[in-house]
Short mmCIF file of all heavy atoms in Angstrom, two decimals:
data_model
loop_
_atom_site.label_atom_id
_atom_site.label_comp_id
_atom_site.label_asym_id
_atom_site.label_seq_id
_atom_site.Cartn_x
_atom_site.Cartn_y
_atom_site.Cartn_z
N MET A 1 25.73 35.10 -38.54
CA MET A 1 25.03 33.86 -38.33
C MET A 1 26.05 32.69 -38.63
O MET A 1 26.90 32.82 -39.43
CB MET A 1 23.79 33.71 -39.26
CG MET A 1 22.81 32.74 -38.79
SD MET A 1 21.34 32.72 -39.70
CE MET A 1 20.40 34.06 -38.94
N ALA A 2 25.83 31.60 -37.96
CA ALA A 2 26.76 30.45 -38.06
C ALA A 2 26.62 29.81 -39.42
O ALA A 2 25.57 29.84 -40.05
CB ALA A 2 26.50 29.47 -36.97
N PRO A 3 27.64 29.17 -40.01
CA PRO A 3 27.60 28.64 -41.27
C PRO A 3 26.59 27.52 -41.49
O PRO A 3 26.09 27.25 -42.59
CB PRO A 3 29.07 28.15 -41.57
CG PRO A 3 29.78 28.24 -40.32
CD PRO A 3 28.95 29.02 -39.34
N TRP A 4 26.22 26.84 -40.35
CA TRP A 4 25.24 25.71 -40.55
C TRP A 4 23.85 26.24 -40.51
O TRP A 4 22.85 25.49 -40.84
CB TRP A 4 25.46 24.73 -39.41
CG TRP A 4 25.35 25.30 -38.03
CD1 TRP A 4 24.13 25.58 -37.38
CD2 TRP A 4 26.38 25.69 -37.08
NE1 TRP A 4 24.43 26.11 -36.21
CE2 TRP A 4 25.75 26.20 -36.03
CE3 TRP A 4 27.72 25.72 -37.26
CZ2 TRP A 4 26.47 26.70 -34.97
CZ3 TRP A 4 28.50 26.23 -36.20
CH2 TRP A 4 27.87 26.70 -35.09
N CYS A 5 23.66 27.49 -40.49
CA CYS A 5 22.25 28.08 -40.48
C CYS A 5 21.97 28.83 -41.81
O CYS A 5 20.97 29.40 -41.97
CB CYS A 5 22.12 29.10 -39.37
SG CYS A 5 22.09 28.32 -37.68
N THR A 6 22.87 28.64 -42.77
CA THR A 6 22.60 29.28 -44.09
C THR A 6 21.62 28.52 -44.87
O THR A 6 21.23 27.38 -44.67
CB THR A 6 23.95 29.33 -44.89
OG1 THR A 6 24.44 28.10 -45.08
CG2 THR A 6 24.97 30.23 -44.08
N THR A 7 21.14 29.17 -45.99
CA THR A 7 20.18 28.52 -46.83
C THR A 7 20.81 27.42 -47.64
O THR A 7 21.91 27.48 -48.08
CB THR A 7 19.69 29.59 -47.84
OG1 THR A 7 19.21 30.69 -47.14
CG2 THR A 7 18.64 28.99 -48.76
N LEU A 8 20.04 26.30 -47.67
CA LEU A 8 20.60 25.12 -48.35
C LEU A 8 20.41 25.23 -49.79
O LEU A 8 19.36 25.69 -50.26
CB LEU A 8 19.92 23.79 -47.88
CG LEU A 8 20.14 23.47 -46.38
CD1 LEU A 8 19.26 22.26 -45.98
CD2 LEU A 8 21.60 23.12 -46.18
N SER A 9 21.32 24.80 -50.68
CA SER A 9 21.17 24.76 -52.08
C SER A 9 20.47 23.45 -52.42
O SER A 9 20.16 22.58 -51.64
CB SER A 9 22.58 24.72 -52.73
OG SER A 9 23.27 23.56 -52.48
N GLY A 10 20.16 23.29 -53.74
CA GLY A 10 19.43 22.06 -54.20
C GLY A 10 20.12 20.83 -53.89
O GLY A 10 19.63 19.86 -53.42
N TRP A 11 21.44 20.83 -54.11
CA TRP A 11 22.30 19.63 -53.84
C TRP A 11 22.31 19.27 -52.44
O TRP A 11 22.41 18.09 -51.98
CB TRP A 11 23.64 19.75 -54.45
CG TRP A 11 23.67 19.66 -55.97
CD1 TRP A 11 23.85 20.63 -56.86
CD2 TRP A 11 23.29 18.48 -56.76
NE1 TRP A 11 23.73 20.24 -58.13
CE2 TRP A 11 23.34 18.86 -58.14
CE3 TRP A 11 22.91 17.07 -56.44
CZ2 TRP A 11 23.08 18.01 -59.16
CZ3 TRP A 11 22.73 16.30 -57.55
CH2 TRP A 11 22.72 16.73 -58.78
N SER A 12 22.30 20.28 -51.58
CA SER A 12 22.31 20.07 -50.12
C SER A 12 21.02 19.40 -49.69
O SER A 12 21.09 18.53 -48.76
CB SER A 12 22.54 21.47 -49.42
OG SER A 12 23.76 22.07 -49.73
N TRP A 13 19.92 19.80 -50.24
CA TRP A 13 18.67 19.19 -49.85
C TRP A 13 18.64 17.73 -50.30
O TRP A 13 18.21 16.86 -49.58
CB TRP A 13 17.49 19.96 -50.55
CG TRP A 13 17.05 21.09 -49.80
CD1 TRP A 13 17.33 22.37 -50.10
CD2 TRP A 13 16.29 21.13 -48.56
NE1 TRP A 13 16.75 23.27 -49.15
CE2 TRP A 13 16.12 22.49 -48.19
CE3 TRP A 13 15.72 20.12 -47.75
CZ2 TRP A 13 15.52 22.88 -47.06
CZ3 TRP A 13 15.02 20.43 -46.63
CH2 TRP A 13 14.88 21.77 -46.26
N VAL A 14 19.17 17.46 -51.46
CA VAL A 14 19.25 16.09 -51.99
C VAL A 14 20.12 15.26 -51.03
O VAL A 14 19.81 14.07 -50.64
CB VAL A 14 19.83 16.03 -53.47
CG1 VAL A 14 20.09 14.61 -53.85
CG2 VAL A 14 18.79 16.64 -54.40
N ALA A 15 21.27 15.81 -50.63
CA ALA A 15 22.18 15.05 -49.77
C ALA A 15 21.56 14.82 -48.44
O ALA A 15 21.65 13.78 -47.78
CB ALA A 15 23.51 15.82 -49.59
N MET A 16 20.79 15.83 -47.87
CA MET A 16 20.18 15.79 -46.54
C MET A 16 19.09 14.72 -46.59
O MET A 16 18.98 13.83 -45.69
CB MET A 16 19.65 17.02 -46.09
CG MET A 16 19.02 16.97 -44.72
SD MET A 16 18.40 18.54 -44.07
CE MET A 16 17.05 18.93 -45.31
N VAL A 17 18.24 14.74 -47.64
CA VAL A 17 17.13 13.76 -47.68
C VAL A 17 17.75 12.29 -47.91
O VAL A 17 17.28 11.38 -47.24
CB VAL A 17 16.14 14.07 -48.80
CG1 VAL A 17 15.22 13.00 -49.21
CG2 VAL A 17 15.47 15.41 -48.53
N THR A 18 18.70 12.24 -48.73
CA THR A 18 19.34 10.88 -48.96
C THR A 18 19.96 10.43 -47.61
O THR A 18 19.87 9.18 -47.29
CB THR A 18 20.43 10.93 -50.03
OG1 THR A 18 19.83 11.45 -51.22
CG2 THR A 18 21.08 9.69 -50.31
N GLY A 19 20.59 11.21 -46.86
CA GLY A 19 21.16 10.92 -45.62
C GLY A 19 20.10 10.36 -44.61
O GLY A 19 20.32 9.34 -43.98
N TRP A 20 19.02 11.09 -44.50
CA TRP A 20 17.95 10.73 -43.61
C TRP A 20 17.28 9.33 -44.10
O TRP A 20 16.94 8.49 -43.21
CB TRP A 20 16.92 11.75 -43.47
CG TRP A 20 17.25 12.77 -42.51
CD1 TRP A 20 17.61 14.07 -42.76
CD2 TRP A 20 17.36 12.54 -41.06
NE1 TRP A 20 18.00 14.69 -41.57
CE2 TRP A 20 17.81 13.73 -40.55
CE3 TRP A 20 17.27 11.50 -40.26
CZ2 TRP A 20 18.09 13.91 -39.12
CZ3 TRP A 20 17.46 11.65 -38.86
CH2 TRP A 20 17.85 12.89 -38.37
N VAL A 21 17.15 9.19 -45.37
CA VAL A 21 16.60 7.94 -45.89
C VAL A 21 17.52 6.72 -45.53
O VAL A 21 17.03 5.72 -45.05
CB VAL A 21 16.30 7.93 -47.37
CG1 VAL A 21 16.06 6.61 -47.94
CG2 VAL A 21 15.16 8.98 -47.66
N LEU A 22 18.80 6.99 -45.63
CA LEU A 22 19.76 5.99 -45.16
C LEU A 22 19.74 5.68 -43.75
O LEU A 22 19.77 4.44 -43.30
CB LEU A 22 21.25 6.31 -45.68
CG LEU A 22 21.49 6.27 -47.10
CD1 LEU A 22 22.80 6.87 -47.39
CD2 LEU A 22 21.37 4.83 -47.70
N VAL A 23 19.63 6.69 -42.95
CA VAL A 23 19.63 6.49 -41.44
C VAL A 23 18.37 5.77 -41.09
O VAL A 23 18.41 4.81 -40.29
CB VAL A 23 19.71 7.81 -40.68
CG1 VAL A 23 19.39 7.71 -39.28
CG2 VAL A 23 21.11 8.46 -40.89
N VAL A 24 17.20 6.24 -41.54
CA VAL A 24 15.97 5.41 -41.20
C VAL A 24 15.85 4.05 -41.72
O VAL A 24 15.54 3.14 -41.09
CB VAL A 24 14.72 6.28 -41.70
CG1 VAL A 24 13.46 5.55 -41.57
CG2 VAL A 24 14.61 7.60 -41.00
N GLY A 25 16.43 3.84 -42.91
CA GLY A 25 16.46 2.52 -43.53
C GLY A 25 17.30 1.65 -42.72
O GLY A 25 17.04 0.44 -42.52
N LEU A 26 18.49 2.12 -42.26
CA LEU A 26 19.43 1.34 -41.45
C LEU A 26 18.78 0.97 -40.03
O LEU A 26 18.92 -0.16 -39.67
CB LEU A 26 20.67 2.09 -41.27
CG LEU A 26 21.75 1.39 -40.38
CD1 LEU A 26 22.28 0.13 -41.12
CD2 LEU A 26 22.95 2.35 -40.15
N ALA A 27 18.02 1.89 -39.60
CA ALA A 27 17.30 1.59 -38.29
C ALA A 27 16.26 0.52 -38.50
O ALA A 27 16.09 -0.40 -37.58
CB ALA A 27 16.75 2.91 -37.76
N VAL A 28 15.50 0.66 -39.47
CA VAL A 28 14.46 -0.35 -39.77
C VAL A 28 15.10 -1.74 -40.04
O VAL A 28 14.66 -2.75 -39.50
CB VAL A 28 13.56 0.07 -41.00
CG1 VAL A 28 12.73 -1.07 -41.49
CG2 VAL A 28 12.78 1.29 -40.64
N TRP A 29 16.19 -1.79 -40.79
CA TRP A 29 16.88 -3.02 -41.08
C TRP A 29 17.36 -3.58 -39.79
O TRP A 29 17.23 -4.82 -39.58
CB TRP A 29 18.04 -2.75 -42.05
CG TRP A 29 18.87 -3.99 -42.31
CD1 TRP A 29 18.58 -5.01 -43.08
CD2 TRP A 29 20.14 -4.25 -41.62
NE1 TRP A 29 19.59 -5.93 -43.04
CE2 TRP A 29 20.55 -5.53 -42.14
CE3 TRP A 29 20.91 -3.67 -40.70
CZ2 TRP A 29 21.69 -6.12 -41.77
CZ3 TRP A 29 22.05 -4.26 -40.26
CH2 TRP A 29 22.40 -5.48 -40.84
N ALA A 30 18.05 -2.79 -38.86
CA ALA A 30 18.57 -3.27 -37.65
C ALA A 30 17.42 -3.85 -36.75
O ALA A 30 17.60 -4.95 -36.15
CB ALA A 30 19.28 -2.15 -36.90
N VAL A 31 16.37 -3.19 -36.72
CA VAL A 31 15.22 -3.76 -35.88
C VAL A 31 14.75 -5.00 -36.39
O VAL A 31 14.38 -5.96 -35.62
CB VAL A 31 14.08 -2.66 -35.72
CG1 VAL A 31 12.80 -3.26 -35.14
CG2 VAL A 31 14.55 -1.45 -34.91
N CYS A 32 14.60 -5.17 -37.77
CA CYS A 32 14.11 -6.37 -38.37
C CYS A 32 15.13 -7.51 -38.16
O CYS A 32 14.69 -8.62 -37.99
CB CYS A 32 13.94 -6.12 -39.88
SG CYS A 32 12.44 -5.12 -40.23
N ARG A 33 16.37 -7.23 -38.12
CA ARG A 33 17.32 -8.29 -37.88
C ARG A 33 17.36 -8.69 -36.37
O ARG A 33 17.57 -9.86 -36.09
CB ARG A 33 18.77 -7.79 -38.22
CG ARG A 33 18.94 -7.51 -39.73
CD ARG A 33 19.02 -8.77 -40.53
NE ARG A 33 20.23 -9.49 -40.20
CZ ARG A 33 20.62 -10.60 -40.76
NH1 ARG A 33 19.80 -11.20 -41.64
NH2 ARG A 33 21.75 -11.18 -40.43
N LEU A 34 17.13 -7.74 -35.52
CA LEU A 34 17.16 -8.10 -34.03
C LEU A 34 15.84 -8.86 -33.63
O LEU A 34 15.88 -9.70 -32.73
CB LEU A 34 17.21 -6.74 -33.22
CG LEU A 34 18.61 -6.08 -33.22
CD1 LEU A 34 18.50 -4.77 -32.53
CD2 LEU A 34 19.63 -7.00 -32.61
N PHE A 35 14.71 -8.48 -34.24
CA PHE A 35 13.43 -9.13 -33.89
C PHE A 35 12.84 -9.71 -35.10
O PHE A 35 11.79 -9.20 -35.63
CB PHE A 35 12.47 -8.14 -33.28
CG PHE A 35 13.12 -7.31 -32.10
CD1 PHE A 35 13.51 -5.99 -32.31
CD2 PHE A 35 13.19 -7.95 -30.86
CE1 PHE A 35 14.05 -5.26 -31.25
CE2 PHE A 35 13.76 -7.30 -29.82
CZ PHE A 35 14.16 -5.96 -29.96
N PRO A 36 13.31 -10.83 -35.60
CA PRO A 36 12.74 -11.49 -36.74
C PRO A 36 11.28 -12.03 -36.51
O PRO A 36 11.00 -12.53 -35.41
CB PRO A 36 13.70 -12.66 -37.05
CG PRO A 36 14.36 -13.00 -35.78
CD PRO A 36 14.36 -11.71 -35.04
N GLY A 37 10.43 -11.82 -37.48
CA GLY A 37 9.07 -12.30 -37.39
C GLY A 37 9.10 -13.84 -37.58
O GLY A 37 9.95 -14.40 -38.17
N GLN A 38 8.06 -14.49 -36.99
CA GLN A 38 8.01 -15.90 -37.19
C GLN A 38 7.12 -16.19 -38.39
O GLN A 38 6.07 -15.71 -38.55
CB GLN A 38 7.28 -16.48 -35.93
CG GLN A 38 7.34 -18.05 -35.92
CD GLN A 38 6.79 -18.56 -34.61
OE1 GLN A 38 6.62 -17.84 -33.69
NE2 GLN A 38 6.60 -19.85 -34.56
N ALA A 39 7.75 -17.09 -39.29
CA ALA A 39 6.97 -17.40 -40.40
C ALA A 39 5.82 -18.30 -40.16
O ALA A 39 5.92 -19.15 -39.25
CB ALA A 39 8.00 -18.10 -41.42
N ARG A 40 4.80 -18.12 -40.87
CA ARG A 40 3.64 -19.05 -40.66
C ARG A 40 3.86 -20.31 -41.44
O ARG A 40 4.19 -20.23 -42.65
CB ARG A 40 2.31 -18.32 -41.21
CG ARG A 40 2.04 -17.07 -40.35
CD ARG A 40 0.72 -16.51 -40.69
NE ARG A 40 -0.42 -17.41 -40.68
CZ ARG A 40 -1.16 -17.76 -39.72
NH1 ARG A 40 -0.75 -17.40 -38.48
NH2 ARG A 40 -2.20 -18.51 -39.89
N LEU A 41 3.73 -21.36 -40.71
CA LEU A 41 3.94 -22.75 -41.31
C LEU A 41 2.66 -23.45 -41.65
O LEU A 41 1.70 -23.23 -40.85
CB LEU A 41 4.78 -23.60 -40.33
CG LEU A 41 6.12 -23.05 -39.98
CD1 LEU A 41 6.80 -23.90 -38.91
CD2 LEU A 41 7.02 -22.86 -41.13
N ASP A 42 2.62 -24.15 -42.69
CA ASP A 42 1.40 -24.90 -43.01
C ASP A 42 1.38 -26.14 -42.06
O ASP A 42 2.38 -26.51 -41.40
CB ASP A 42 1.28 -25.34 -44.43
CG ASP A 42 2.41 -26.21 -44.89
OD1 ASP A 42 3.49 -26.21 -44.20
OD2 ASP A 42 2.25 -26.94 -45.91
N ALA A 43 0.26 -26.83 -42.04
CA ALA A 43 0.03 -27.93 -41.05
C ALA A 43 0.86 -29.05 -41.41
O ALA A 43 1.41 -29.81 -40.50
CB ALA A 43 -1.45 -28.36 -41.15
N ARG A 44 1.21 -29.37 -42.66
CA ARG A 44 2.04 -30.42 -43.07
C ARG A 44 3.45 -30.23 -42.51
O ARG A 44 4.08 -31.22 -41.97
CB ARG A 44 1.98 -30.64 -44.54
CG ARG A 44 2.94 -31.77 -45.13
CD ARG A 44 2.43 -33.07 -44.63
NE ARG A 44 1.32 -33.55 -45.25
CZ ARG A 44 1.28 -34.56 -46.19
NH1 ARG A 44 2.28 -35.12 -46.55
NH2 ARG A 44 0.13 -34.90 -46.66
N THR A 45 3.96 -29.05 -42.69
CA THR A 45 5.29 -28.77 -42.19
C THR A 45 5.45 -28.93 -40.60
O THR A 45 6.38 -29.53 -40.15
CB THR A 45 5.71 -27.32 -42.63
OG1 THR A 45 5.61 -27.24 -44.01
CG2 THR A 45 7.11 -27.02 -42.20
N VAL A 46 4.46 -28.45 -39.96
CA VAL A 46 4.38 -28.61 -38.42
C VAL A 46 4.41 -30.08 -38.07
O VAL A 46 5.14 -30.53 -37.22
CB VAL A 46 3.25 -27.85 -37.83
CG1 VAL A 46 3.14 -28.25 -36.38
CG2 VAL A 46 3.41 -26.34 -38.07
N LEU A 47 3.60 -30.85 -38.79
CA LEU A 47 3.56 -32.30 -38.57
C LEU A 47 4.83 -32.98 -38.78
O LEU A 47 5.34 -33.84 -38.03
CB LEU A 47 2.44 -32.93 -39.46
CG LEU A 47 2.12 -34.36 -39.28
CD1 LEU A 47 1.62 -34.61 -37.84
CD2 LEU A 47 1.17 -34.86 -40.32
N GLU A 48 5.58 -32.60 -39.91
CA GLU A 48 6.84 -33.23 -40.16
C GLU A 48 7.93 -32.81 -39.23
O GLU A 48 8.72 -33.62 -38.69
CB GLU A 48 7.26 -32.81 -41.63
CG GLU A 48 6.43 -33.50 -42.64
CD GLU A 48 6.73 -32.92 -44.04
OE1 GLU A 48 7.50 -31.96 -44.12
OE2 GLU A 48 6.13 -33.46 -45.04
N GLN A 49 7.80 -31.57 -38.67
CA GLN A 49 8.75 -31.08 -37.62
C GLN A 49 8.46 -31.87 -36.33
O GLN A 49 9.51 -32.24 -35.59
CB GLN A 49 8.58 -29.59 -37.34
CG GLN A 49 9.16 -28.77 -38.52
CD GLN A 49 8.88 -27.29 -38.29
OE1 GLN A 49 8.14 -26.89 -37.39
NE2 GLN A 49 9.58 -26.50 -39.03
N ARG A 50 7.26 -32.11 -36.00
CA ARG A 50 6.93 -32.86 -34.78
C ARG A 50 7.44 -34.29 -34.87
O ARG A 50 7.92 -34.88 -33.86
CB ARG A 50 5.46 -32.84 -34.50
CG ARG A 50 4.98 -31.45 -34.02
CD ARG A 50 3.57 -31.43 -33.71
NE ARG A 50 3.31 -32.30 -32.49
CZ ARG A 50 2.17 -32.76 -32.08
NH1 ARG A 50 1.06 -32.47 -32.74
NH2 ARG A 50 2.01 -33.47 -31.01
N LEU A 51 7.32 -34.84 -36.13
CA LEU A 51 7.89 -36.24 -36.27
C LEU A 51 9.38 -36.32 -36.10
O LEU A 51 9.96 -37.13 -35.41
CB LEU A 51 7.48 -36.84 -37.68
CG LEU A 51 8.00 -38.16 -37.99
CD1 LEU A 51 7.46 -39.28 -37.10
CD2 LEU A 51 7.81 -38.44 -39.46
N ALA A 52 10.06 -35.21 -36.80
CA ALA A 52 11.49 -35.17 -36.65
C ALA A 52 12.00 -34.92 -35.22
O ALA A 52 13.04 -35.43 -34.89
CB ALA A 52 11.99 -34.00 -37.56
N ALA A 53 11.28 -34.21 -34.47
CA ALA A 53 11.56 -33.98 -33.10
C ALA A 53 11.27 -35.10 -32.05
O ALA A 53 11.73 -35.06 -30.96
CB ALA A 53 10.85 -32.64 -32.56
N GLY A 54 10.64 -36.11 -32.60
CA GLY A 54 10.27 -37.24 -31.73
C GLY A 54 9.04 -37.05 -30.95
O GLY A 54 8.79 -37.83 -30.07
N GLU A 55 8.23 -36.07 -31.27
CA GLU A 55 6.95 -35.85 -30.48
C GLU A 55 5.87 -36.81 -30.85
O GLU A 55 4.98 -37.13 -30.14
CB GLU A 55 6.54 -34.45 -30.68
CG GLU A 55 7.39 -33.39 -30.13
CD GLU A 55 6.94 -31.97 -30.38
OE1 GLU A 55 5.82 -31.78 -30.74
OE2 GLU A 55 7.77 -31.10 -30.28
N LEU A 56 6.01 -37.36 -32.12
CA LEU A 56 5.06 -38.30 -32.69
C LEU A 56 5.74 -39.57 -33.13
O LEU A 56 6.91 -39.53 -33.55
CB LEU A 56 4.42 -37.75 -33.98
CG LEU A 56 3.58 -36.43 -33.80
CD1 LEU A 56 3.12 -35.88 -35.16
CD2 LEU A 56 2.43 -36.66 -32.89
N ASP A 57 5.15 -40.70 -33.05
CA ASP A 57 5.69 -41.88 -33.60
C ASP A 57 5.16 -42.05 -35.06
O ASP A 57 4.34 -41.25 -35.43
CB ASP A 57 5.37 -43.08 -32.77
CG ASP A 57 3.98 -43.40 -32.62
OD1 ASP A 57 3.14 -42.82 -33.28
OD2 ASP A 57 3.61 -44.27 -31.76
N ALA A 58 5.59 -43.01 -35.77
CA ALA A 58 5.21 -43.21 -37.19
C ALA A 58 3.74 -43.42 -37.34
O ALA A 58 3.20 -42.94 -38.32
CB ALA A 58 6.06 -44.28 -37.74
N GLU A 59 3.16 -44.17 -36.48
CA GLU A 59 1.78 -44.46 -36.60
C GLU A 59 0.88 -43.15 -36.40
O GLU A 59 -0.02 -42.98 -37.14
CB GLU A 59 1.29 -45.56 -35.59
CG GLU A 59 -0.15 -45.94 -35.71
CD GLU A 59 -0.52 -46.47 -37.10
OE1 GLU A 59 0.35 -47.14 -37.75
OE2 GLU A 59 -1.66 -46.27 -37.47
N GLN A 60 1.22 -42.37 -35.36
CA GLN A 60 0.51 -41.09 -35.18
C GLN A 60 0.73 -40.15 -36.39
O GLN A 60 -0.19 -39.52 -36.79
CB GLN A 60 0.99 -40.46 -33.89
CG GLN A 60 0.60 -41.16 -32.58
CD GLN A 60 1.29 -40.52 -31.43
OE1 GLN A 60 2.47 -40.05 -31.48
NE2 GLN A 60 0.59 -40.46 -30.31
N TYR A 61 1.90 -40.21 -36.87
CA TYR A 61 2.23 -39.33 -38.06
C TYR A 61 1.36 -39.73 -39.16
O TYR A 61 0.72 -38.89 -39.86
CB TYR A 61 3.71 -39.39 -38.42
CG TYR A 61 4.05 -38.75 -39.70
CD1 TYR A 61 4.15 -37.31 -39.70
CD2 TYR A 61 4.20 -39.43 -40.87
CE1 TYR A 61 4.46 -36.65 -40.91
CE2 TYR A 61 4.53 -38.75 -42.06
CZ TYR A 61 4.59 -37.39 -42.01
OH TYR A 61 4.99 -36.84 -43.29
N ARG A 62 1.24 -41.02 -39.44
CA ARG A 62 0.45 -41.49 -40.62
C ARG A 62 -1.04 -41.13 -40.42
O ARG A 62 -1.66 -40.65 -41.36
CB ARG A 62 0.66 -42.93 -40.80
CG ARG A 62 1.94 -43.35 -41.48
CD ARG A 62 1.94 -44.76 -41.91
NE ARG A 62 2.17 -45.74 -40.91
CZ ARG A 62 3.37 -45.98 -40.38
NH1 ARG A 62 4.41 -45.36 -40.84
NH2 ARG A 62 3.52 -46.78 -39.41
N GLU A 63 -1.51 -41.30 -39.24
CA GLU A 63 -2.93 -41.04 -38.96
C GLU A 63 -3.16 -39.48 -39.19
O GLU A 63 -4.19 -39.12 -39.87
CB GLU A 63 -3.29 -41.36 -37.54
CG GLU A 63 -3.34 -42.84 -37.31
CD GLU A 63 -3.60 -43.29 -35.84
OE1 GLU A 63 -3.93 -42.33 -35.09
OE2 GLU A 63 -3.50 -44.41 -35.45
N LEU A 64 -2.36 -38.66 -38.66
CA LEU A 64 -2.42 -37.26 -38.79
C LEU A 64 -2.32 -36.76 -40.23
O LEU A 64 -3.08 -35.89 -40.70
CB LEU A 64 -1.61 -36.45 -37.81
CG LEU A 64 -1.93 -36.61 -36.36
CD1 LEU A 64 -0.82 -36.11 -35.47
CD2 LEU A 64 -3.33 -35.97 -36.01
N ARG A 65 -1.34 -37.33 -40.90
CA ARG A 65 -1.11 -37.02 -42.32
C ARG A 65 -2.38 -37.34 -43.14
O ARG A 65 -2.83 -36.57 -43.97
CB ARG A 65 0.08 -37.78 -42.85
CG ARG A 65 0.40 -37.44 -44.24
CD ARG A 65 1.43 -38.29 -44.90
NE ARG A 65 0.90 -39.66 -44.87
CZ ARG A 65 1.57 -40.73 -44.86
NH1 ARG A 65 2.90 -40.65 -44.75
NH2 ARG A 65 1.05 -41.92 -44.87
N ASP A 66 -2.93 -38.56 -42.85
CA ASP A 66 -4.12 -38.98 -43.65
C ASP A 66 -5.37 -38.03 -43.34
O ASP A 66 -6.07 -37.63 -44.30
CB ASP A 66 -4.49 -40.42 -43.33
CG ASP A 66 -3.47 -41.37 -43.83
OD1 ASP A 66 -2.64 -41.01 -44.70
OD2 ASP A 66 -3.43 -42.54 -43.31
N THR A 67 -5.40 -37.58 -42.12
CA THR A 67 -6.44 -36.66 -41.77
C THR A 67 -6.32 -35.36 -42.50
O THR A 67 -7.24 -34.79 -43.05
CB THR A 67 -6.44 -36.41 -40.23
OG1 THR A 67 -6.63 -37.63 -39.53
CG2 THR A 67 -7.57 -35.36 -39.80
N LEU A 68 -4.97 -34.82 -42.49
CA LEU A 68 -4.79 -33.60 -43.31
C LEU A 68 -5.09 -33.80 -44.76
O LEU A 68 -5.62 -32.85 -45.44
CB LEU A 68 -3.32 -33.22 -43.12
CG LEU A 68 -2.94 -32.60 -41.75
CD1 LEU A 68 -1.46 -32.31 -41.68
CD2 LEU A 68 -3.75 -31.33 -41.52
N ASP A 69 -4.66 -34.91 -45.36
CA ASP A 69 -4.90 -35.12 -46.68
C ASP A 69 -6.43 -35.25 -47.05
O ASP A 69 -6.82 -34.75 -48.02
CB ASP A 69 -4.32 -36.48 -47.19
CG ASP A 69 -2.72 -36.38 -47.22
OD1 ASP A 69 -2.28 -35.24 -47.19
OD2 ASP A 69 -2.09 -37.46 -47.23
N ASP A 70 -7.22 -35.84 -46.17
CA ASP A 70 -8.65 -35.86 -46.33
C ASP A 70 -9.26 -34.48 -46.26
O ASP A 70 -10.15 -34.16 -47.05
CB ASP A 70 -9.30 -36.76 -45.22
CG ASP A 70 -9.00 -38.20 -45.42
OD1 ASP A 70 -8.60 -38.56 -46.49
OD2 ASP A 70 -9.21 -39.00 -44.39
N ARG A 71 -8.78 -33.62 -45.30
CA ARG A 71 -9.30 -32.25 -45.30
C ARG A 71 -8.98 -31.43 -46.51
O ARG A 71 -9.70 -30.75 -47.05
CB ARG A 71 -8.74 -31.52 -44.06
CG ARG A 71 -9.35 -31.87 -42.77
CD ARG A 71 -8.91 -31.15 -41.64
NE ARG A 71 -9.38 -31.59 -40.38
CZ ARG A 71 -8.91 -31.24 -39.20
NH1 ARG A 71 -7.98 -30.31 -39.14
NH2 ARG A 71 -9.46 -31.69 -38.04
N SER A 72 -7.72 -31.62 -47.03
CA SER A 72 -7.31 -30.89 -48.17
C SER A 72 -8.08 -31.30 -49.46
O SER A 72 -8.38 -30.56 -50.28
CB SER A 72 -5.77 -30.89 -48.36
OG SER A 72 -5.42 -32.22 -48.64
N ALA A 73 -8.26 -32.61 -49.45
CA ALA A 73 -9.06 -33.14 -50.64
C ALA A 73 -10.45 -32.64 -50.62
O ALA A 73 -11.17 -32.40 -51.58
CB ALA A 73 -9.07 -34.71 -50.64
N ALA A 74 -11.10 -32.57 -49.41
CA ALA A 74 -12.43 -32.00 -49.23
C ALA A 74 -12.53 -30.50 -49.67
O ALA A 74 -13.54 -30.08 -50.22
CB ALA A 74 -12.96 -32.19 -47.80
N LYS A 75 -11.45 -29.75 -49.43
CA LYS A 75 -11.50 -28.35 -49.82
C LYS A 75 -11.15 -28.24 -51.28
O LYS A 75 -11.23 -27.07 -51.80
CB LYS A 75 -10.40 -27.60 -48.93
CG LYS A 75 -10.91 -27.39 -47.54
CD LYS A 75 -9.87 -26.62 -46.78
CE LYS A 75 -10.20 -26.44 -45.34
NZ LYS A 75 -9.25 -25.70 -44.52
N GLY A 76 -10.60 -29.24 -51.91
CA GLY A 76 -10.16 -29.10 -53.28
C GLY A 76 -8.72 -28.65 -53.50
O GLY A 76 -8.33 -28.23 -54.54
N THR A 77 -7.98 -28.63 -52.39
CA THR A 77 -6.62 -28.23 -52.44
C THR A 77 -5.79 -29.41 -52.80
O THR A 77 -5.90 -30.51 -52.24
CB THR A 77 -6.09 -27.69 -51.13
OG1 THR A 77 -7.09 -26.64 -50.65
CG2 THR A 77 -4.70 -27.11 -51.18
N PRO A 78 -4.85 -29.29 -53.72
CA PRO A 78 -3.97 -30.45 -54.12
C PRO A 78 -3.04 -30.88 -53.07
O PRO A 78 -2.65 -30.20 -52.20
CB PRO A 78 -3.20 -30.02 -55.37
CG PRO A 78 -3.37 -28.59 -55.49
CD PRO A 78 -4.50 -28.10 -54.55
#
C-alpha cells in the first residue's frame, strides 16, 4: 500500500485538523475581505453625510436634525 494510506498517528491527526482549520479560516477571511458587509448607520450619521455631500442645505439639515431630536426625546433616548 502507498505511504499516504497508512494509519495516522496522534500528531498527524492534530496536524491535519490544524491544517484544515487554517485553510477554512483563510477562505472565510478572504471572502469577508472581498465582500465587506455594509455597516448599519444611525439616522444622525446619514443626515450628516447628506449635509457633507451637499444633498441638503443648512436649513433642511436643521429641520431634520430637530425632528430627529424630537423623536429621540419622545422615546427617551439621549
